[in-house]
Amino acid sequence: MLLSAVSSCNSLLLNPRTILVKMVSQAGTGFSFNTKRSRLREKLTLLHYDPVVKTKVLFVEQKKIRSL
């Protein structure tokens, strides 16, 4: 029983549930920010404030940065 508990714990460490992703503005300003999402979700698209154009614009996930 102890070995099964340890092996399940190791599988969680090797495959974390959340990842850190880079979100990039679609307004073409080059502004970006990092956020975390569940590994099982689809790629994120968010409405978020872009300080360069001073309004809310669409941000899309560009790439995975790291696992958390």
Side-chain angles (χ1 to χ4, degrees):
M1 183 168 162
L2 180 61
L3 289 176
S4 64
V6 170
S7 65
S8 66
C9 182
N10 283 340
S11 66
L12 288 176
L13 293 175
L14 295 176
N15 193 4
R17 293 177 188 243
T18 58
I19 58 174
L20 190 66
V21 294
K22 182 177 183 179
M23 304 294 290
V24 178
S25 172
Q26 291 297 294
T29 60
F31 182 76
S32 63
F33 68 96
N34 300 332
T35 189
K36 62 182 180 177
R37 73 163 171 90
S38 171
R39 178 179 293 280
L40 302 176
R41 287 185 64 179
E42 296 179 3
K43 290 196 172 196
L44 284 179
T45 55
L46 300 172
L47 278 177
H48 193 75
Y49 183 77
D50 188 342
V52 178
V53 292
K54 299 179 182 167
T55 186
K56 286 187 177 181
V57 296
L58 185 67
F59 281 79
V60 295
E61 180 180 331
Q62 183 183 22
K63 65 178 182 176
K64 172 186 160 188
I65 297 174
R66 62 175 280 206
S67 299
L68 295 176

